[in-house]
Amino acid sequence: MHYLFESGDVLNSPIECFLYNPAQAPFPIKPHWHYFMEIIYITEGSAEIHSDGSRHLLYEGDMIILHPKTVHGVYAADGNPLRYAVLKFDINKLTI
């Protein structure tokens, strides 16, 4: 499972949030895992998320929570444009 480890597993801050546009960045997101939690929110199009052997079809307005060390990948579900928001955070560094 080490070969699936995301080498950029260090967050620049306890929480990172960004919009992902596959037209401007590497895509699909091949299966990988990391030590932080990740939330993906679909803002445009539909996505197929593979997570620990399961497939989840997400549409605009849907969200998925990926726990730390969960092997997951992101793919377009159809030929239409896909965009999504990503929230990554280290649950061990969050304070109240």
Side-chain angles (χ1 to χ4, degrees), residues 10 13 22 25 34 45 49 55 59 64 68 75 84 91:
V10 178
S13 62
H34 35 69
I49 310 290
R55 293 183 192 185
Y59 298 96
I64 189 167
Y75 306 88
Y84 54 93
I91 59 176

Side-chain angles (χ1 to χ4, degrees), residues 45-80:
S46 58
E48 186 172 312
I49 310 290
H50 296 192
S51 174
D52 277 347
S54 297
R55 293 183 192 185
H56 308 276
L57 191 57
L58 277 66
Y59 298 96
E60 187 174 321
D62 288 344
M63 171 175 38
I64 189 167
I65 298 172
L66 301 164
H67 294 277
K69 300 182 184 178
T70 299
V71 176
H72 59 283
V74 182
Y75 306 88
D78 54 28
N80 295 320

Side-chain angles (χ1 to χ4, degrees), residues 17-22 38-47 49 58-66 74 82-88:
C17 186
F18 56 90
L19 294 174
Y20 195 88
N21 182 352
E38 184 171 12
I39 297 174
I40 296 175
Y41 176 79
I42 307 301
T43 60
E44 182 181 334
S46 58
I49 310 290
L58 277 66
Y59 298 96
E60 187 174 321
D62 288 344
M63 171 175 38
I64 189 167
I65 298 172
L66 301 164
V74 182
L82 170 65
R83 292 182 186 199
Y84 54 93
V86 179
L87 177 64
K88 297 179 177 184

